[in-house]
Structures are given as C-alpha cells and as structure tokens.
Amino acid sequence: MDWGMIISNLIHDTIVFSTALIFAALGGVFSERSGVVNIALEGMMVIGAFAGAVVTYFMQPSELAPWFGLLAAVIAGAIFSLPHAVASITFKSDQTVSGVALNFLAVGLAVYLTKIIFNGAGQTETLKVVFSKWEIPVLSDIPVLGHAIFEAYPTSYIAFILVFVAWYVIYKTPFGLRIRAVGEHPRAADTVGINVNRTRYIAVILSGALAAMGGATIALTTTSNFSHNTVSGQGFIAIAAMIFGKWHPVGAMGAALFFGVAQAVKSLVQVFGLTKYVPIEFIYMLPYILTIFVLAGFVGRSSAPAASGKPYDTGSR
Amino acid sequence: MNKVIGIFTKDSFLVPLVAILLGLICGAIAMLAGGFDPILAYQSLLEKVFGDVYNFGETIRQITPLIFTGLSVAFAFRTGLFNIGAEGQLVIGMIASVYAGVVFDLPPGIHAVVALLIGGIAGGLWGAFVGWLKATRGVHEVITSIMMNWIALYFANWVLQTFLVPEGQQRSENIKDSAVLTIGWLSQMFDSARLHWGTAIALLGAVAFFVILWKTKTGFELRAVGLNPHASEYAGMNVNRNVVKAMFIGGLFAGLGGACEVLGVFHYQAVMAALPGYGFDGIAVALIGGNTPFGVVLGAILFGILTFGATGMKFGAGVPVELIRVVIASVIFFVAAHGIVRLFLKPVLNRKKKEAV
C-alpha cells in the first residue's frame, strides 16, 4: 500500500465516520442556539437508528428502502424530541434531567420494540438493502482525491449540504436571527414581538430530526442493522463536536471531521501495529479530553449561548 | 395525627409518588401496545423479588450500588451541582480497588479496607477534578462530567488490559481472598446470594450524608453555597473550595459503590464494552428521593426491585427486560417535569385547599 492509497483511504473513512456526527452536532447547534440544552442527542440518534433500520427492513427489497428509512428516522426523531420540548419549554423543567430521561427512554424503548418486532432478538435482522456509495462521474477518477471525496454515501453529501443550509438559516434568515435572539436574550426577543416558546419548540424539533438522521446514517451505512450499541456514545461525541465547534454549524462540521479522523486513524493504527506505542484506548478518549481542554480555555475559549439551559418565564425579571 | 397526614400530602412526597405511578402506567401502556398483560407482568416482577431467599438477597445486592450512586448525585445537588459523572466515578472506584485487590499483599481485613478506601478516594479525585475545573476555569460540571464518564470507561479498560488482564483473557485475575468483602455466613443464609459488607457501608454512608450536611459547619457551608453562592461568598465562605469539596465527597460515594461491587460481588473486573449504568440510575434515585439520605435509600430500594425484578417479568409474562428502562425513564421524566405531575395533582390539592377554608 503506497502513501497515496493510505491517505485516500484515511480521508474516505473519515468522511464515513464523521457523517453521523455532523448531523447530530448540527441538531445540537439548533437546539442550544435557541437556549435549550440537549443532552438527549444520544437518545434521538438511537431512535433514528431504530426507526431507520426497521422501516428499511420492511421496505426491502425496494431500492428506495433506505430513503424511506431515512425519512422515517426524521419523523421519529422529531416526534421523540417533543417530550423534551414540552418539559423544558412549556413546563420549564431542568433541561439536563429531561435529556437524561430521554436518553434512557430511547435505548429502553428501541430495544423493547426491536424484541417485539423481531421475535425476541435484541437486534434487527441484517439489512440487505442499505445505502450504496455514489461515485460522482469524472471527479471520482481523480487520483487519490477521487476515491477519498467523490466516492461517498449519499448521506455524507446530504450532511455537507445541510451544514451550509444550517449556516445560511442561522445567520442569513429572519428565522435564524430569532433563534439566536431567544438563545441569547429571550426577554429582549420577547419585547420585540418574537414568540420565544414557539421558536424554541421549532429548534428542538429540528434538532431531534437532525440527530435522528445521524443515527439512521450509522444503521444504514456502517452497521446494516440496529442493536443497543449501534450508537454507543456518538451522541455525546456530537455534543463535544458542537462545543468544540463553538456552537457554529461550520465549526461543528470541522470538529466532527476531526473526531472522525480519530476514528479513522484507529483502524489505520491497528493495521500498522502502532498500538504498541499509542494504546487504542487513548485514541478513543481523544474527543472527550479535547472537549475538556477547549471548555477549560486551554485551546481557544468557547462559550455557550447566554440563555442556554435557562427556561424562559414571562413573569421573571 | 394531622402531622402524619401533613407529611404524606406534602408536595415533596406526593410528586415523586405520582411520578412513580405515572411511570408504571407508561410501562403498562407500552406492554399493552406490545400485546402483554401488564398486571401479570408486575405480579411476576414482585414474585421474582419476594419469591425466594436467593432472589431477595440478590435484590439487596442490586440495591446497594444504587444507594451509593444516589447519595453521590444527591450530595452534589445539595451544593448546587449536577453530578452526572457518578457513572465514571464508580468505574474509577472499581478499577482502583480491583488493582489494589489483585496487586497488593496485605493481611486479611486490612487489605479489604485499604482496597475499599483506594476505590473511594480514586472516585473522589475523579469527581474533584470536575469540581476543580468548575471552580478555577468556570466550566459547567454537566459537560465535563459526561466527558469524564467516557474517559473513565476507556481509561479503566486500558488499566485492565495493560496491568491486570492475563494474555488472551477478557477479565482480570480474581482479587486476593484477603480483600474480599463478601459475608460468607450471610450469603449461605440466602442460598449463596452475593451479600457483602457494602450494603452496611452504604447505609452508614446515608447516615454520614445526613450528619455531614446537617450537623457540621462544613455541611452548613456546602448547603449555603448550594442555595445561594453569592450570599455565601459575601458571608465569607470560599465558594470554590466548597464546590471542589462537594464533588470530592460525591465522587467518594460513587467510588465506594464501585469498590463494593468489585470486592463484594464479582471479585474481578471484566473489560467493559459500555458504561455499567449504576451512575445514571443514581440520578433517578437522587431525584425520586428528593436529595435526602432517607429518600435516596427508598429510591434505591424501588429501582433495585424494578431492575432486578425485570427478569421475572420476562419469565412470567414474556415481557422484554428493557421495558423496565422505559418505566424508569418515565419516572425520571415526570420528576423532572413536575409541572406535568402538578397538573394531575391539581384536583386533589384544590380540594385540600377548600377544606382548609
């Protein structure tokens, strides 16, 4: 294997691993920008992976099955985010606790339903039709870069497009301005006639839909089934990516790609026997350690939207 | 008499109670949707737990770590901190005490105490680090504790693989007999259910929780900081030191819980594919127990019965064990969103008000 091949494979794998993180981190950006902390990204990814895998399974052998799966995941994620929205916006509950509850609920509910649908098995049957990679004509023939970038799952292309859509929505549209306003200073936003609660509801539901898309991506590209450990902590890495990316869509994408490299390097490290020098566990830890460094201000300061985590009470000062 | 009724109709008592009921109802709805008989299922859950001495003993084993992690979360709550990191602190407690149990050579009894303390202190330091980051760098403890949980998982696995697991195995060697916390005679009484000193330590921990917080100057400061950090600062208390202290003691409880699991129950530590979950359950326990030591013990008993009895539901009514996670999640959700619970309680409370008039 020559270096061109290695680098090409590395970039290729990075994109594969990052896709789910990008979706979920974008979800986190929407929710937190509006002032609602979303620890439940993990749970929303689980529900997305579950809904995506099950619907794809029943739509087989149609070629379009994974697309229906993805659509189902978006709907399921949006619905699943509702309890979090109701609790943290309407009832002004502790957003972290509500998120923790949803994370619990997601794994419990998804595996419970899987067992009912698949006669007691803890995972769905292996999907025969999943997303296959798209080769962009001409461009995929470029040496090194062709295989690396222009031979990817359709979901990866969607993820990158959504990053720029999210950026445009948040920074260039009135709706995005409202999201940022209610996340920074809900009282001021309320005074100028923005409906704080409605804006937050929309942001949380969007965040559920996006995170669920991320979960479905894992089930429909890399694992080809759903089980209790399909997502296994990627929702928390997505939270890390969101913070590392300073609550900005493009920043979150960069961080997700960086954490994706960490995962892609993992397989490379094993191939070359480098685990003797750097234990694999430390590579796993990297995203989490970096997040703490960033938060502690050792690597560039980043601070959350001012009203993040605070319920808005019209009666308070 | 009126005083007794007063206690039982107080909000702090009614809200968790209604939350538990709503949680069980959510579980029942999920069971009906799946074509199971909820009454039979809950019945078999109770039969599993109270049916014979072995299972009753094992339920006590299940309850023990939940008391520890519940105390851990509740203690930090009292100082205004959300210790979502009990999970990681427990894991670090496990790995530290299994290391001490396998590697150290000490006389019986002393070895166990040393291993236990090392586990507790390791968990405490893991928690204190989060407190230190909050105190010195102003980082919110929730995010750092979540990150520390995953770091704990991989760090523990690394320690296991590097120092404790024999080549080609997936678990550490057994700890030396001198470090074992299991109570032999009691286990025999319970048909060799794995009973250990940890349960007694957990209950003592609950007492210590009460004494520290409500009978000492330290506790007064910790609670004051929890209620109003600015006022405490103004009154001359060192808020930062109290934050670190609260996280250390919280971590200590969780670390002891992990140590007891290793020294009392398993006697070894396996390489973990995922976090064990006791710490997350501890959040539920602390919330349902209203962050009081007595409430935590009650909450731990409830969740211990639910999780252990879940296998009975599978056996008796064919319900997948995951259903109980749905019940617990709903309970946490309703405790968090107590506004929803109050909506259900409104008719009851209104009537009470009318009677008072």
Side-chain angles (χ1 to χ4, degrees):
Chain A
M1 222 165 35
D2 66 295
W3 280 107
M5 265 302 271
I6 292 169
I7 291 170
S8 175
N9 278 336
L10 187 66
I11 298 174
H12 182 85
D13 290 353
T14 300
I15 292 174
V16 170
F17 287 124
S18 305
T19 305
L21 295 178
I22 293 175
F23 279 122
L26 283 182
V29 169
F30 270 107
S31 173
E32 299 231 344
R33 276 283 175 174
S34 81
V36 180
V37 166
N38 196 350
I39 301 281
L41 283 182
E42 170 85 5
M44 291 164 181
M45 287 181 86
V46 170
I47 289 296
F50 163 77
V54 169
V55 168
T56 306
Y57 176 79
F58 285 109
M59 294 301 284
Q60 286 180 142
S62 158
E63 278 298 309
L64 288 173
W67 290 103
F68 282 107
L70 197 65
L71 184 68
V74 169
I75 296 167
I79 294 172
F80 189 72
S81 67
L82 280 176
H84 185 55
V86 172
S88 50
I89 303 167
T90 306
F91 287 96
K92 308 182 194 344
S93 318
D94 187 312
Q95 298 170 4
T96 310
V97 180
S98 155
V100 169
L102 280 203
N103 282 341
F104 260 116
L105 186 63
V107 180
L109 199 61
V111 179
Y112 172 73
L113 292 175
T114 306
K115 282 188 173 172
I116 290 175
I117 298 170
F118 294 90
N119 296 321
Q123 67 228 34
T124 65
E125 279 176 40
T126 307
L127 302 170
K128 290 182 202 77
V129 188
V130 289
F131 283 117
S132 47
K133 286 174 189 164
W134 283 0
E135 287 179 30
I136 307 242
V138 187
L139 289 175
S140 62
D141 295 332
I142 302 170
V144 185
L145 275 185
H147 168 67
I149 297 174
F150 299 108
E151 215 186 293
Y153 292 109
T155 44
S156 302
Y157 298 122
I158 297 174
F160 287 114
I161 293 167
L162 278 184
V163 169
F164 290 96
V165 172
W167 169 80
Y168 185 81
V169 168
I170 291 176
Y171 289 98
K172 301 287 166 196
T173 65
F175 172 63
L177 184 63
R178 280 186 208 138
I179 288 187
R180 283 181 291 137
V182 300
E184 286 295 338
H185 202 319
R187 174 141 303 273
D190 197 5
T191 315
V192 295
I194 296 170
N195 187 332
V196 175
N197 284 0
R198 193 179 60 197
T199 311
R200 285 187 171 176
Y201 261 96
I202 297 170
V204 171
I205 292 168
L206 266 178
S207 126
L210 283 166
M213 256 174 120
T217 304
I218 303 173
L220 299 178
T221 59
T222 38
T223 62
S224 298
N225 75 351
F226 169 79
S227 73
H228 70 280
N229 60 2
T230 299
V231 177
S232 71
Q234 301 214 41
F236 294 112
I237 301 191
I239 294 175
M242 172 195 73
I243 296 169
F244 203 51
K246 304 189 177 178
W247 287 268
H248 188 288
V250 179
M253 177 192 72
L257 282 171
F258 181 70
F259 294 154
V261 176
Q263 290 207 44
V265 166
K266 207 163 62 192
S267 44
L268 203 70
V269 163
Q270 273 161 335
V271 170
F272 285 96
L274 290 173
T275 34
K276 264 180 280 182
Y277 309 105
V278 186
I280 193 83
E281 285 84 3
F282 284 88
I283 296 173
Y284 287 127
M285 277 183 227
L286 197 66
Y288 308 112
I289 293 176
L290 278 172
T291 306
I292 290 179
F293 272 125
V294 170
L295 280 171
F298 298 134
V299 189
R301 196 104 178 110
S302 98
S303 54
S308 186
K310 295 191 191 78
Y312 176 57
D313 189 347
T314 33
S316 72
R317 281 183 299 140
Chain B
M1 193 60 203
N2 270 336
K3 211 174 165 189
V4 177
I5 295 172
I7 291 173
F8 284 104
T9 49
K10 240 175 38 187
D11 262 21
S12 59
F13 189 85
L14 274 179
V15 168
L17 206 67
V18 174
I20 292 165
L21 273 177
L22 288 174
L24 290 173
I25 291 170
C26 283
I29 293 170
M31 279 190 264
L32 284 173
F36 303 107
D37 178 354
I39 298 179
L40 177 68
Y42 285 133
Q43 217 171 353
S44 9
L45 183 150
L46 291 175
E47 269 166 28
K48 166 87 181 178
V49 173
F50 297 104
D52 58 67
V53 285
Y54 172 77
N55 283 317
F56 187 65
E58 282 289 300
T59 308
I60 295 175
R61 171 193 64 72
Q62 183 82 34
I63 290 168
T64 307
L66 295 177
I67 300 179
F68 277 117
T69 51
L71 290 175
S72 168
V73 178
F75 197 92
F77 258 131
R78 285 283 170 188
T79 311
L81 300 161
F82 190 3
N83 183 16
I84 211 169
E87 189 74 42
Q89 294 143 18
L90 177 118
V91 167
I92 290 299
M94 279 173 144
I95 194 69
S97 62
V98 82
Y99 186 86
V102 171
V103 175
F104 292 4
D105 246 327
L106 290 164
I110 296 174
H111 193 174
V113 172
V114 168
L116 186 71
L117 285 179
I118 286 181
I121 291 169
L125 292 174
W126 201 259
F129 178 65
V130 171
W132 177 79
L133 281 175
K134 170 147 189 144
T136 58
R137 317 288 307 187
V139 195
H140 199 282
E141 75 278 5
V142 165
I143 299 291
T144 30
S145 341
I146 290 176
M147 301 302 145
M148 292 298 280
N149 284 343
W150 294 91
I151 296 173
L153 171 69
Y154 297 121
F155 180 72
N157 277 347
W158 175 73
V159 172
L160 276 171
Q161 303 272 23
T162 323
F163 302 106
L164 297 169
V165 177
E167 193 75 43
Q169 302 259 332
Q170 278 302 300
R171 64 182 190 79
S172 74
E173 293 172 45
N174 276 349
I175 56 167
K176 301 208 170 86
D177 284 344
S178 51
V180 165
L181 272 181
T182 313
I183 313 174
W185 53 270
L186 198 63
S187 289
Q188 265 169 10
M189 261 172 59
F190 280 89
D191 262 346
S192 68
R194 293 162 290 177
L195 290 168
H196 54 91
W197 286 109
T199 312
I201 299 167
L203 293 174
L204 278 178
V207 176
F209 183 111
F210 175 77
V211 173
I212 295 173
L213 276 182
W214 281 280
K215 300 288 165 201
T216 67
K217 183 169 151 268
T218 311
F220 178 77
E221 284 196 11
L222 289 169
R223 283 184 297 126
V225 169
L227 291 171
N228 190 339
H230 304 294
S232 315
E233 182 94 64
Y234 191 66
M237 296 172 195
N238 186 334
V239 172
N240 285 347
R241 202 173 53 211
N242 277 306
V243 165
V244 178
K245 205 188 279 172
M247 284 305 290
F248 177 79
I249 297 175
L252 186 77
F253 279 125
L256 286 175
C260 289
E261 279 300 280
V262 163
L263 305 173
V265 181
F266 296 107
H267 303 155
Y268 64 82
Q269 172 71 52
V271 175
M272 289 169 284
L275 290 161
Y278 287 125
F280 291 129
D281 288 1
I283 300 168
V285 168
L287 284 171
I288 207 88
N291 301 321
T292 59
F294 185 61
V296 164
V297 174
L298 286 184
I301 291 173
L302 175 75
F303 287 127
I305 288 175
L306 286 179
T307 32
F308 189 77
T311 44
M313 291 171 86
K314 168 101 186 91
F315 189 75
V319 181
V321 291
E322 282 74 19
L323 180 92
I324 226 62
R325 310 311 301 172
V326 175
V327 173
I328 292 182
S330 318
V331 174
I332 310 179
F333 180 78
F334 286 118
V335 175
H338 41 73
I340 300 175
V341 174
R342 272 174 229 282
L343 225 56
F344 282 89
L345 275 176
K346 227 178 208 163
V348 185
L349 294 177
N350 281 348
R351 200 165 29 172
K352 219 173 71 184
K353 242 179 243 163
K354 264 182 207 151
E355 276 166 18
V357 173

